[in-house]
Amino acid sequence: MKAVQTLWCGDRRLEESQFWWLDAEYHLMSWALSALKLRQHFDRLELYTDSEGARMLIDRLGLPYTEVKVVYDRFHCLTCHWALVKVHTYSLQRESFIHIDGDIYLTKPLTEQTLASPLIVQNTELCTDYYRRMIDRLLGISGLKLQESFRRVLESDDVPSCNLGFCGGTDIDFFGRFSEAVFRFFRDNDFNSDRFRNDDISANVVFEQIFFSIMAREAGPVPATIWPQRVRDNGYLPEEFSDMLHFGQRQFVHILGGMKRRKDICRSVELTLLREYPEMWRRVADLFPERHRLLHPAAPLPVASQGAPHYEAALRETVRTFAVVSPDVLIAEERAAADNIAGLAIEGESRDSRTLQLHPFLHLLPVDEAEREAVRLRLCPERMTQPCFTAVIPSVTGEGYVEIPLYNTERNIIALLSSPMTVGALTEALMPSFQSADLRGKAGKCASRAIDYLLSSGAVIAKTADL
């Protein structure tokens, strides 16, 4: 079976548009990681796109698609109805296929049994009030024309839905019928007209996922699922689907919806690409020199004024020292930080025996009491505790440096790691700092969480063997 992907850019340039990610760069890094992983598992990987997509993914990045079909240069579609483009790709298939979104990273091959199924989806969904509100807004459109079978189900309390991050199968006739039903819905309601350009109706879920599921239920065979459990429509937990920490241990990772705008997840995607495919990471990074200032040091590293002048002055002096470090050395350290992502998932004796050391260019900066609230609001507004220190390390990503707010346990770890220590020895050394009865019962978890925090931020680096 072949794998298929769709990238429709419309009038957007890929170096500029975020495509719902935190930054355009992460969107391209996601595409690169997705395509490279798929090519490990499929002999044939096809891309359906427009000239802009081909320019970037093929001409600039050289992603290993075996066939590229530029079919969307004149495709008329409102940006808000982006799922229609995927449906059109389904309609173009003439043989068994599996369509996989560009925010999915398949780390283990799909089973032959799954690939031989008439219909394949990522998972089935349980519709709650979240989808119900989308459905009711759609049904509330004046003069809405719908197939009677669709209307009957949409007005009922039993609305089926499937996540189509993965979508395909051997029943090509079904995809022809499904695509035509969606196209007819758009034609009958002039759904790509300016009338709906600024509408708040989120119709993609309905015309792609729910229409598909209604027709699949009528057709008979239950679709094969990649994720076996049924998921609530608003219950996609990041630790289950967007868990880059366990990348490679799970069959796939899917960066859904709002998770694309989480800074920690975006950084994990970047570090994973850097660890797995360093040459491809560099190709993407070179498209965004302003986001990789230590690789392109013509401009000074910026330190924005945020209401903490003493701290900012010390930070400015610190980041000046980073500009003289070799980019190759910095990339090597960044890859070491990327290895930490995989190392965090190790548990038990293997974890305890790992040796930890500080990032070699780490600077510890105190934060004056009068400026702690300003620093908290900028770096960690979700936490009520004010940081007394930050750890600052150089980075080949972003502005050229990373500030890591430190709290009591993290500060103790930094002090203890003046010499390398194993995780087990470090955890034991931290125990006296948990003096209250309440903390003593949680000491192990608190220590582990603080160690993971410093590893994931890159302030601490894990080695696979004792030094």
Side-chain angles (χ1 to χ4, degrees):
M1 179 180 281
K2 66 178 181 178
V4 175
Q5 295 195 291
T6 300
L7 174 58
W8 172 64
C9 304
D11 57 356
R12 296 165 291 183
R13 281 183 59 81
L14 286 164
E15 293 97 331
E16 300 167 358
S17 180
Q18 296 167 297
F19 285 81
W20 303 283
W21 286 82
L22 190 61
D23 188 86
E25 177 182 41
Y26 297 124
H27 176 235
L28 292 179
M29 288 182 173
S30 179
W31 269 102
L33 186 58
S34 181
L36 289 164
K37 279 296 173 187
L38 286 177
R39 194 64 180 87
Q40 290 183 3
H41 305 302
F42 291 92
D43 292 334
R44 298 168 61 196
L45 176 60
E46 295 181 357
L47 175 65
Y48 288 73
T49 188
D50 49 26
S51 295
E52 172 67 6
R55 176 189 70 84
M56 177 58 70
L57 299 192
I58 308 305
D59 300 341
R60 296 293 300 273
L61 299 183
L63 291 176
Y65 291 97
T66 57
E67 191 167 352
V68 180
K69 299 180 183 291
V70 179
V71 294
Y72 287 121
D73 280 350
R74 295 177 178 83
F75 190 75
H76 176 55
C77 179
L78 296 178
T79 303
C80 60
H81 297 153
W82 48 265
L84 182 64
V85 189
K86 288 174 57 180
V87 174
H88 189 260
T89 296
Y90 304 155
S91 76
L92 298 175
Q93 305 311 306
R94 299 295 179 264
E95 60 181 297
S96 301
F97 72 98
I98 178 76
H99 188 285
I100 302 170
D101 289 349
D103 55 7
I104 292 177
Y105 322 125
L106 185 66
T107 63
K108 296 181 180 180
L110 302 176
T111 67
E112 291 298 326
Q113 181 179 3
T114 297
L115 294 175
S117 301
L119 297 178
I120 307 166
V121 299
Q122 178 176 299
N123 58 269
T124 57
E125 295 182 324
L126 174 64
C127 293
T128 71
D129 288 345
Y130 178 59
Y131 277 4
R132 183 75 259 170
R133 289 190 293 270
M134 296 182 188
I135 293 168
D136 289 346
R137 282 198 293 271
L138 183 70
L139 291 175
I141 294 174
S142 177
L144 182 71
K145 297 178 182 178
L146 271 178
Q147 284 185 211
E148 185 55 37
S149 59
F150 290 163
R151 183 180 293 276
R152 184 170 58 252
V153 175
L154 290 175
E155 292 177 345
S156 75
D157 295 328
D158 181 24
V159 179
S161 181
C162 295
N163 187 303
L164 299 186
F166 291 85
C167 181
T170 62
D171 190 349
I172 300 303
D173 290 341
F174 172 87
F175 284 97
R177 297 192 303 274
F178 165 59
S179 303
E180 180 51 38
V182 174
F183 298 154
R184 183 165 62 250
F185 167 75
F186 270 76
R187 290 194 303 269
D188 289 349
N189 295 285
D190 198 16
F191 215 57
N192 269 326
S193 67
D194 285 342
R195 173 190 176 192
F196 296 102
R197 184 172 299 279
N198 298 311
D199 205 291
D200 64 352
I201 294 173
S202 181
N204 294 286
V205 163
V206 180
F207 71 74
E208 186 196 20
Q209 297 184 182
I210 295 177
F211 283 12
F212 178 98
S213 302
I214 293 171
M215 294 184 67
R217 187 162 66 180
E218 292 174 348
V222 176
T225 57
I226 314 298
W227 182 267
Q229 288 84 27
R230 195 179 188 190
V231 181
R232 289 171 61 91
D233 53 17
N234 60 352
Y236 288 92
L237 301 176
E239 58 266 27
E240 290 183 335
F241 289 91
S242 302
D243 181 15
M244 300 299 290
L245 173 64
H246 292 87
F247 189 87
Q249 298 179 35
R250 298 189 175 182
Q251 185 163 42
F252 71 93
V253 175
H254 189 175
I255 313 298
L256 296 114
M259 299 175 200
K260 293 180 175 65
R261 299 196 64 80
R262 278 183 45 171
K263 189 173 183 178
D264 59 332
I265 289 178
C266 288
R267 175 171 168 78
S268 293
V269 169
E270 176 170 14
L271 291 179
T272 302
L273 181 65
L274 176 59
R275 183 184 73 239
E276 302 270 330
Y277 306 101
E279 292 183 3
M280 182 57 67
W281 172 84
R282 186 62 188 261
R283 289 182 205 172
V284 179
D286 283 344
L287 295 171
F288 301 89
E290 74 286 355
R291 293 186 54 78
H292 299 273
R293 293 176 181 268
L294 289 181
L295 297 182
H296 305 273
L301 300 181
V303 174
S305 176
Q306 298 289 342
H310 292 94
Y311 173 77
E312 290 157 14
L315 177 61
R316 196 170 289 109
E317 287 300 314
T318 296
V319 300
R320 282 198 187 103
T321 69
F322 298 156
V324 301
V325 184
S326 162
D328 290 339
V329 171
L330 291 172
I331 290 175
E333 293 299 334
E334 207 78 51
R335 290 194 71 188
D339 287 336
N340 286 342
I341 295 175
L344 285 170
I346 298 174
E347 299 178 353
E349 292 183 5
S350 296
R351 175 184 170 94
D352 287 345
S353 64
R354 298 195 77 184
T355 297
L356 304 181
Q357 65 181 37
L358 296 179
H359 189 291
F361 301 107
L362 181 145
H363 287 248
L364 187 66
L365 296 186
V367 184
D368 292 347
E369 186 174 358
E371 297 183 343
R372 288 174 188 168
E373 181 63 10
V375 173
R376 181 191 73 83
L377 290 173
R378 183 168 63 84
L379 296 182
C380 48
E382 71 283 357
R383 297 190 64 161
M384 297 305 296
T385 307
Q386 296 174 340
C388 299
F389 292 86
T390 66
V392 183
I393 59 175
S395 175
V396 293
T397 68
E399 300 293 346
Y401 61 92
V402 177
E403 296 169 87
I404 304 150
L406 302 178
Y407 308 94
N408 288 337
T409 304
E410 292 84 1
R411 175 66 183 91
N412 289 337
I413 291 172
I414 297 292
L416 288 167
L417 286 178
S418 57
S419 297
M421 298 177 70
T422 65
V423 173
L426 177 61
T427 303
E428 186 64 27
L430 285 169
M431 291 303 104
S433 64
F434 299 99
Q435 295 178 355
S436 70
D438 181 56
L439 285 177
R440 278 199 301 272
K442 305 173 183 177
K445 288 186 177 179
C446 289
S448 180
R449 187 162 54 243
I451 291 170
D452 286 354
Y453 170 75
L454 293 174
L455 281 167
S456 62
S457 66
V460 168
I461 296 171
K463 300 298 183 182
T464 55
D466 290 353
L467 297 178

